Amino acid sequence: MMLVRLATSEDIPQLVQMRWDFSEEEHANNVVTFEEFIQICSEFLLKAIQSGDWYIWIAEFDGSLVSHMYLQLIHKVPRPGKSSDPYYGYVTNV
């Protein structure tokens, strides 16, 4: 059965691997190794999950991540007479 849920810190290793695989065609030009990327991306994802400004939705099938979607909330500068909604949403990696 397919399960769609918010990512947790336990999902970070699979998310890092998916991000690396997603960029596979660019690996020839990489200036970082996979081991370096694990550190960089894991730190980013942990901060993102804890921040409240990122929502990382994942689709899980039989315990494995099969898809993901990142949504970052971007705080807007208030303007008089405009919507009081304080955010834009930036969607990436669907």
Side-chain angles (χ1 to χ4, degrees), residues 5-6 12 19 21 30-32 37 39 41 70 82:
R5 62 175 175 80
L6 286 172
I12 289 175
R19 182 71 176 166
D21 294 344
N30 278 345
V31 294
V32 298
F37 181 72
Q39 181 70 29
C41 194
Y70 292 79
K82 297 293 180 176

Side-chain angles (χ1 to χ4, degrees), residues 26-79:
E26 299 168 13
H27 289 324
N29 299 324
N30 278 345
V31 294
V32 298
T33 65
F34 180 62
E35 290 73 23
E36 292 169 321
F37 181 72
I38 290 170
Q39 181 70 29
I40 294 165
C41 194
S42 294
E43 288 176 10
F44 171 85
L45 291 171
L46 184 59
K47 288 178 188 175
I49 289 169
Q50 294 173 341
S51 75
D53 286 337
W54 283 90
Y55 292 86
I56 304 169
W57 290 94
I58 60 167
E60 181 179 12
F61 184 76
D62 288 339
S64 296
L65 301 189
V66 294
S67 188
H68 57 277
M69 191 262 329
Y70 292 79
L71 170 70
Q72 180 185 22
L73 296 179
I74 301 169
H75 301 268
K76 295 186 330 186
V77 177
R79 286 185 68 185

